[in-house]
Amino acid sequence: MSIINGRDFIERLNKMENEIWFDGEKIKGKISEHPAFKGILKTKASLYDLQNSQDIKNEMTFLLPENQNTIGLSYLQPKTKEDLKRRRKMIEHWARHTHGMMGRSPDYMNTVIMSFASSTAYILKGKENCFPENIQSVFENARENDLTFTHTFITPQVNRSESYFENTKEPISAKVIERNEKGIVIKGARLLATQGGLTDEVFVYTAPHRFLDPEEAFAFSIPSNTKGLKFICRESFVGGESFFNHPLSSRYEEMDSIVVFDHVLVPWDRVFFYDNVEASTDFMLHSSFHHFATHQVLIRQIVKTEFILGVAELLVNTINVSGFQHIQEKLSEIIIGLETMKALLEKAENDSEMDEWGFMRPSIIPLQVASNIFPKIYPRFSEIIQIIGASGMISLPTESAFDSEIRSELDQYLQADGMNAENRVKLFRLAWDLTMSSFGTRQTQYERYFFGDPIRLSSNLYKSYIKDKHVEEIRGLLNQKN
Ligand SMILES: Cc1cc2nc3c(=O)[nH]c(=O)nc-3n(C[C@H](O)[C@H](O)[C@H](O)COP(=O)(O)OP(=O)(O)OC[C@H]3O[C@@H](n4cnc5c(N)ncnc54)[C@H](O)[C@@H]3O)c2cc1C
């Protein structure tokens, strides 16, 4: 097979009939027509169409040397710096199409699967209860069929104290409860999965942590319609279908779901490892997962920051507040964030190095720094837009109001110096949907947490950063005598 287009994606997903629960009911019928999902699925379909677009197809795809099939470039295993640049261009195209609002555009998970196939598949070789060949075959199948994935690696938030060890009669956190000739049987839950139920497959693995129960130390990938697999959705943040009223949530609300495993049989050929705590650490920490995944993330976040800067500047111009120094300072904060992230991306690519298996890894420290910066600056960007917009973020009549008999009053009282009332409200609705609607506040929470807890990300940076040279310099100074 080759790359799919939007129609292929929708038809394949509808056919799967994944078990998705929404507002207490199991969804029946075509998921692509459900009000909570049709906007995001249409957007996702348009991304698949984008990679078929003749103008940029050569930047979105590559020919697989083995069979000359046209493959999505997010599956490219980079072997040169040039390959990394090609990956960057492709990621930029996906991100620009959605203004960076879609955290889980398909290239994110495709990159994750590619990273595991390019590292963990080698690391787990010969280890107990490990099946690295399955990582490779899941990757090849995904690449050939242009599959879409979600992933989940977080246990339910029951008790996060470091000494907690689950000891309940029935599992809460997903565990292996049986091993038989067909595979492993999983019972329990995982949180969260963005786009859970809206993808072909779900990739499940365990974030390493202290006192990890061997029964929870596993990784696998299974089709989203596997028997016993349920996706329980939160409420929808789609404000409505009107683009005027809800410019972002009508298109980019991805949904997040709790993933429940009700005696799910994971066939042996889908198991990457099980009952192996050490493999769990290797899988996440010693693989190239962080290198490639954060490379994708940083590129998307740069595009998103550019979008935020554009919205902020347009707000400033519309109500003519650019002359105030504190407004200039706030816009500069966004510019500083943007240019810092861009510089980190350049450095990560320039300092990339060939790993022991022949893949070109972007340098991890600049990427780790970016992963530490963005969760802090994104909420501030959101706040800056709210501060600039002030009451304009609240005086937001709807599209219908402009179609009603009170239009002339709206035209009169909501106009801006250089913009008519309708366009002004449209802009302020965009700023509101970006930062204040349920969709907007979820975006803030997403950028804070989706790649892990920022507190622990900063601990990891501290622990992994090589400081010896600097410490030696100080020792040398202290050893000097008069
Ligand atoms: C919108 C959104 C989408 C997401 N999508 C996905 C997804 O698709 N797939 C997926 O797998 N995950 C997803 N996540 C989950 C994400 O990975 C987690 O939120 C993140 O790893 C933090 O874990 P937690 O939420 O369980 O927080 P917790 O670990 O419960 O932390 C709660 C608080 O306690 C503190 N804390 C807890 N333990 C420690 C500790 N040991 N040391 C210091 N402080 C600690 C934290 O700093 C935090 O303030 C998503 C999250 C969000 C918000």
Side-chain angles (χ1 to χ4, degrees):
M1 261 206 58
S2 190
I3 50 165
I4 56 167
N5 61 28
R7 203 189 51 236
D8 299 330
F9 163 69
I10 296 287
E11 281 175 8
R12 189 163 73 189
L13 189 70
N14 280 335
K15 229 185 259 169
M16 288 188 77
E17 298 182 343
N18 301 332
E19 186 172 337
I20 304 171
W21 287 79
F22 180 79
D23 199 20
E25 284 179 14
K26 190 160 126 182
I27 293 182
K28 297 190 183 82
K30 290 183 176 169
I31 185 78
S32 64
E33 289 171 10
H34 190 284
F37 305 100
K38 68 179 177 192
I40 188 66
L41 291 176
K42 199 168 160 208
T43 302
K44 218 170 153 182
S46 71
L47 285 170
Y48 283 108
D49 285 335
L50 187 73
Q51 68 174 357
N52 283 277
S53 143
Q54 282 314 318
D55 301 345
I56 55 167
K57 197 168 178 182
N58 62 346
E59 292 178 344
M60 298 300 287
T61 60
F62 71 105
L63 291 180
L64 195 64
E66 292 95 287
N67 53 18
Q68 295 299 300
N69 280 351
T70 304
I71 303 292
L73 216 130
S74 49
Y75 286 113
L76 179 76
Q77 296 176 283
K79 299 202 168 117
T80 61
K81 289 195 179 192
E82 195 41 46
D83 283 348
L84 275 184
K85 299 268 181 222
R86 286 173 75 196
R87 288 188 56 84
R88 182 216 277 220
K89 188 94 217 149
M90 164 275 300
I91 295 163
E92 261 175 25
H93 280 309
W94 291 101
R96 246 176 245 299
H97 191 72
T98 54
H99 320 293
M101 291 296 140
M102 200 170 154
R104 299 305 159 91
S105 51
D107 53 321
Y108 173 73
M109 277 308 297
N110 297 356
T111 298
V112 170
I113 307 284
M114 180 282 289
S115 74
F116 285 123
S118 309
S119 53
T120 321
Y122 303 90
I123 295 172
L124 298 187
K125 242 175 213 153
K127 297 200 172 153
E128 196 182 6
N129 300 332
C130 294
F131 310 96
E133 64 281 10
N134 295 341
I135 301 175
Q136 185 61 26
S137 67
V138 163
F139 168 62
E140 284 174 16
N141 183 42
R143 189 173 64 179
E144 281 294 306
N145 295 292
D146 211 1
L147 296 184
T148 155
F149 287 76
T150 183
H151 69 160
T152 177
F153 53 85
I154 295 297
T155 57
Q157 210 178 26
V158 176
N159 179 341
R160 291 293 196 235
S161 76
E162 294 222 310
S163 55
Y164 173 67
F165 189 85
E166 186 180 300
N167 191 17
T168 50
K169 203 162 159 235
E170 289 289 315
I172 302 172
S173 180
K175 289 185 182 54
V176 178
I177 56 159
E178 194 187 320
R179 300 135 191 91
N180 60 38
E181 71 284 359
K182 290 189 180 142
I184 55 177
V185 178
I186 308 285
K187 177 144 176 40
R190 277 296 171 89
L191 335 169
L192 296 166
T194 298
Q195 285 195 29
L198 308 182
T199 61
D200 298 292
E201 293 212 5
V202 50
F203 190 164
V204 187
Y205 48 102
T206 307
H209 55 89
R210 260 175 114 185
F211 305 122
L212 178 62
D213 183 345
E215 290 173 347
E216 286 183 60
F218 52 70
F220 57 82
S221 182
I222 46 175
S224 297
N225 61 357
T226 302
K227 191 163 174 269
L229 190 56
K230 292 179 197 155
F231 300 94
I232 304 178
C233 299
R234 58 163 165 77
E235 73 176 276
S236 169
F237 298 156
V238 174
E241 282 184 30
S242 157
F243 175 66
F244 181 102
N245 291 344
H246 307 283
L248 299 177
S249 78
S250 58
R251 296 177 177 193
Y252 307 128
E253 148 63 333
E254 291 185 271
M255 183 54 78
D256 307 283
S257 65
I258 300 163
V259 186
V260 172
F261 300 83
D262 184 2
H263 297 89
V264 169
L265 172 73
V266 180
W268 285 120
D269 64 356
R270 290 304 193 128
V271 178
F272 303 153
F273 67 86
Y274 73 104
D275 292 353
N276 189 333
V277 172
E278 199 192 321
S280 205
T281 308
D282 287 341
F283 204 75
M284 291 280 277
L285 300 185
H286 302 141
S287 66
S288 50
F289 164 69
H290 283 96
H291 299 72
F292 292 124
T294 47
H295 182 240
Q296 188 278 349
V297 166
L298 176 53
I299 296 164
R300 178 188 61 76
Q301 289 173 337
I302 288 171
V303 170
K304 190 170 188 174
T305 307
E306 288 171 348
F307 182 75
I308 283 174
L309 180 58
V311 172
E313 177 69 358
L314 206 48
L315 287 178
V316 165
N317 293 339
T318 302
I319 55 172
N320 200 10
V321 289
S322 66
F324 302 118
Q325 213 171 20
H326 82 96
I327 298 283
Q328 295 163 6
E329 186 199 20
K330 289 181 173 70
L331 268 286
S332 291
E333 269 189 64
I334 304 177
I335 295 167
I336 292 164
L338 174 60
E339 289 300 319
T340 305
M341 301 284 279
K342 280 160 70 176
L344 289 167
L345 176 61
E346 288 293 336
K347 181 160 172 57
E349 289 177 359
N350 289 340
D351 294 356
S352 58
E353 280 180 0
M354 192 74 95
D355 67 18
E356 56 193 302
W357 303 290
F359 300 109
M360 186 58 73
R361 286 185 184 192
S363 173
I364 194 66
I365 294 292
L367 296 173
Q368 271 180 293
V369 171
S371 306
N372 273 276
I373 290 177
F374 206 66
K376 293 194 179 76
I377 60 178
Y378 189 83
R380 174 65 181 153
F381 293 164
S382 194
E383 188 186 23
I384 287 173
I385 287 191
Q386 292 169 17
I387 292 170
I388 297 169
S391 67
M393 304 292 279
I394 302 297
S395 339
L396 298 169
T398 58
E399 188 171 24
S400 315
F402 277 95
D403 289 337
S404 74
E405 61 191 62
I406 54 162
R407 171 156 194 144
S408 58
E409 279 155 297
L410 300 181
D411 283 345
Q412 178 66 8
Y413 303 126
L414 291 176
Q415 64 181 293
D417 218 11
M419 199 182 269
N420 69 30
E422 189 172 355
N423 286 338
R424 180 186 173 283
V425 169
K426 211 171 168 186
L427 169 65
F428 275 80
R429 287 202 74 96
L430 172 65
W432 163 81
D433 212 10
L434 180 61
T435 62
M436 289 176 69
S437 67
S438 52
F439 172 86
T441 50
R442 185 248 175 217
Q443 288 285 321
T444 304
Q445 193 70 341
Y446 182 84
E447 297 299 356
R448 259 197 204 115
Y449 280 112
F450 86 95
F451 207 73
D453 173 20
I455 299 294
R456 279 164 277 174
L457 289 180
S458 67
S459 288
N460 291 345
L461 175 61
Y462 169 69
K463 286 187 218 150
S464 62
Y465 196 81
I466 299 170
K467 303 170 274 297
D468 303 2
K469 203 175 86 187
H470 312 298
V471 171
E472 279 316 307
E473 203 179 314
I474 306 306
R475 285 210 175 102
L477 172 73
L478 294 175
N479 284 337
Q480 286 175 13
K481 298 207 164 70
N482 286 342

